Amino acid sequence: SEEWKVAFLVAGPKMASGLKADLESVDLFDAKAAVEGFLDQMGAKGIRMIPIYQSRTPDHPVSKILHPGQSIEVLAGNQVLGRFGLLHPGVSKKLKLKNDVYVGEFDW
C-alpha cells in the first residue's frame, strides 16, 4: 500500500522587503510560518508543535536527518501529522550543500 505525503524544502535568502535589500537566509521561523499557513489553509484544528527531541516517533526516518535542536514535530491531538526542521549538518556536509536547508514531510 502507498502512503500519501506532502513534503517541502526551504533554502536560500529571504525575499527582500521594503527599500533595503537585506537578504538574510531563511530560518526555522520561516519554515514554521510556511507550515502554519499550510495547515491553516487546510482547516487543521488543535495543532501543537513540539521540539523533535521530545518526539513520539524518534526512529522515524525524517527525524533522523533533522537537526535535533532546530526541528519540530507537528501533532493534532495524539496523532503525529509530520515533522520539519533544519537538515542535520552531517547530512548537509555529505551532500555538499552551501546553505542551511529546511525540510519537512507530512502525512496527507
Side-chain angles (χ1 to χ4, degrees):
S1 72
E2 293 183 17
E3 295 180 18
W4 286 69
K5 302 285 184 180
V6 173
F8 73 90
L9 180 143
V10 180
K14 295 180 184 183
M15 292 180 57
S17 61
L19 298 175
K20 185 178 178 186
D22 185 16
L23 298 176
E24 59 186 51
S25 293
V26 295
D27 58 23
L28 182 61
F29 298 106
D30 297 308
K32 184 176 182 270
V35 168
E36 288 172 334
F38 172 75
L39 293 172
D40 186 52
Q41 289 292 316
M42 298 305 297
K45 304 285 184 216
I47 300 300
R48 291 182 304 125
M49 296 187 183
I50 62 172
I52 204 93
Y53 59 80
Q54 296 176 346
S55 174
R56 295 173 181 224
T57 56
D59 292 331
H60 189 280
V62 174
S63 296
K64 292 181 180 233
I65 65 165
L66 297 175
H67 185 295
Q70 291 203 30
S71 301
I72 296 173
E73 186 168 82
V74 181
L75 303 115
N78 289 326
Q79 181 181 4
V80 177
L81 299 180
R83 53 214 44 85
F84 69 95
L86 178 64
L87 198 60
H88 193 282
V91 176
S92 291
K93 184 177 179 181
K94 191 181 241 183
L95 296 173
K96 299 179 182 174
L97 301 176
K98 295 179 182 179
N99 295 318
D100 285 345
V101 174
Y102 294 85
V103 297
E105 181 184 78
F106 291 84
D107 294 329
W108 184 249

